[in-house]
């Protein structure tokens, strides 16, 4: 492992509670912990100074890909999972993968609701505590996803993230049918196409006047969000994608260290 991934002196539990420190000081405070990433110190400093943090949902906030769970419940799991992998690895345009997967499963409103009832989406360990720590300090939290709003809104309620802080894809249903049959999806959402996440982050930044914003996620589309995000933190707690690992300012496999940075170094600590 290269020197940019390594630090040494004290243990994780010995982090000092500081305010307004540099990223190198934050990183050094973790002692002999090893870190992965192209610029870990800069990512830690951005996180400590963040006005907002944006999270991908699938394989980041939750432990699975929501569309794959839905497809599996409809008997189309393998076919859809192959398209999902291509999209997450950056081997196809996201809009092509999204359209192809929806064309395969054609989910009705009723089928989605039944899927969520039979297979509740599982939060990744530690994500609820991290989001709570951010919110306690007045750091705004956003969910930016290439998944579907109808599946994300229940998760957002659990995490106390408002509907207006969700940017995701909207499925259209024929509400005149008993089950709300699938009729298409909104192609105007920024996350319905490739390079949608940088557009979403820029939109959030412009609308709210944030100085510092951080993107967290597991996929190639998340890595695209820097810039305009000031730092990209790659998450490998569910799936490690080498293309993402190589591009991440800081690559993590759980949320513990992010939470520690916020709780001990956030500029918004009281």
């Amino acid at each position: 492992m290269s020197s940019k991934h390594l630090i040494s002196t004290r243990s994780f539990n010995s982090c000092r509670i500081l305010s307004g420190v540099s990223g190198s000081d934050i990183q050094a405070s973790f002692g002999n912990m090893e870190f992965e990433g192209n610029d870990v110190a800069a990512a830690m400093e951005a996180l400590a100074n963040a006005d907002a943090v944006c999270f991908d949902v699938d394989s980041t906030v939750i432990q699975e890909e929501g569309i794959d769970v839905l497809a599996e419940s409809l008997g189309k799991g393998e076919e859809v999972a192959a398209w999902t992998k291509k999209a997450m690895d950056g081997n196809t345009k996201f809009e092509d993968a999204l359209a192809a997967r929806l064309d395969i499963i054609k989910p009705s409103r009723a089928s989605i609701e039944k899927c969520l009832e039979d297979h509740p989406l599982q939060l990744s360990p530690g994500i609820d505590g991290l989001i709570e720590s951010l919110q306690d300090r007045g750091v705004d939290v956003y969910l930016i996803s290439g998944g579907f709003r109808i599946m994300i809104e229940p998760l957002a309620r659990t995490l106390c993230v408002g509907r207006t802080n969700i940017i995701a894809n909207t499925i259209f249903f024929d509400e005149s049918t008993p089950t709300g049959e699938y009729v298409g999806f909104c192609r105007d959402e920024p996350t319905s196409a490739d390079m949608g996440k940088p557009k979403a982050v820029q939109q959030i930044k412009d609308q709210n006047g944030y100085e510092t914003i951080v993107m967290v996620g597991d996929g190639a589309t998340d890595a695209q969000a820097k810039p305009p995000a000031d730092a990209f933190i790659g998450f490998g707690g569910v799936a490690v994608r080498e293309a993402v690992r190589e591009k991440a300012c800081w690559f993590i496999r759980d949320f513990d260290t992010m939470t520690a940075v916020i709780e001990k170094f956030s500029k918004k600590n009281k």
Side-chain angles (χ1 to χ4, degrees):
M1 184 174 291
S2 66
S3 60
K4 69 183 177 183
H5 296 302
L6 300 175
I7 57 174
S8 62
T9 48
R10 291 188 302 275
S11 68
F12 174 88
N13 291 328
S14 68
C15 295
R16 296 165 292 152
I17 299 178
L18 299 174
S19 177
V21 296
S22 69
S24 58
D25 286 340
I26 295 172
Q27 185 175 352
S29 75
F30 286 93
N32 58 6
M33 284 192 70
E34 297 184 358
F35 295 97
E36 299 176 80
N38 294 314
D39 198 343
V40 175
M44 288 182 169
E45 186 168 334
L47 180 61
N49 288 284
D51 300 302
V53 177
C54 301
F55 292 90
D56 174 44
V57 176
D58 296 319
S59 296
T60 301
V61 170
I62 61 173
Q63 298 181 66
E64 54 265 298
E65 294 287 324
I67 193 169
D68 291 351
V69 174
L70 178 59
E72 188 68 32
S73 74
L74 295 173
K76 303 287 187 178
E78 289 187 14
E79 197 173 354
V80 167
W83 275 103
T84 299
K85 186 177 188 306
K86 284 194 283 188
M88 292 303 98
D89 290 344
N91 294 327
T92 190
K93 286 186 177 181
F94 185 82
E95 58 263 39
D96 294 338
L98 178 62
R101 290 177 290 177
L102 282 172
D103 190 55
I104 291 166
I105 60 178
K106 294 182 170 61
S108 66
R109 180 184 289 278
S111 68
I112 294 174
E113 291 172 348
K114 186 175 189 308
C115 173
L116 293 175
E117 181 180 347
D118 293 345
H119 309 281
L121 300 176
Q122 301 298 307
L123 293 175
S124 294
I127 188 63
D128 49 350
L130 171 57
I131 288 178
E132 183 178 4
S133 292
L134 289 164
Q135 292 169 333
D136 284 348
R137 288 158 180 80
V139 179
D140 292 334
V141 172
Y142 292 83
L143 304 180
I144 304 179
S145 176
F148 308 124
R149 178 175 285 274
I150 189 175
M151 299 181 75
I152 292 169
E153 285 182 349
L155 294 168
R157 286 194 293 271
T158 298
L159 296 168
C160 298
V161 175
R163 291 183 65 188
T164 57
N165 285 28
I166 302 170
I167 298 179
N169 291 312
T170 300
I171 297 177
F172 295 140
F173 304 103
D174 182 353
E175 302 296 358
S176 69
T177 61
T179 56
E181 291 302 300
Y182 170 77
V183 294
F185 67 97
C186 179
R187 295 178 182 271
D188 294 331
E189 296 282 5
T191 51
S192 69
D194 198 42
M195 297 303 291
K197 289 188 178 178
K199 291 178 184 176
V201 171
Q202 189 64 61
Q203 176 181 307
I204 290 168
K205 221 172 186 181
D206 292 344
Q207 290 176 348
N208 297 277
Y210 297 135
E211 290 185 8
T212 305
I213 192 165
V214 173
M215 181 74 206
V216 184
D218 73 295
T221 58
D222 305 309
Q224 290 174 344
K226 178 187 181 292
D230 297 279
F232 167 58
I233 300 176
F235 181 68
V238 176
V240 175
R241 311 184 199 280
E242 285 306 315
V244 174
R245 184 173 173 269
E246 290 170 3
K247 293 176 181 177
C249 303
W250 178 17
F251 189 78
I252 61 173
R253 297 168 195 262
D254 60 52
F255 293 114
D256 294 347
T257 315
M258 277 188 70
T259 302
V261 169
I262 289 297
E263 292 184 348
K264 299 175 183 295
F265 300 102
S266 174
K267 70 176 184 179
K268 298 192 176 186
N269 279 336
K270 294 179 180 178

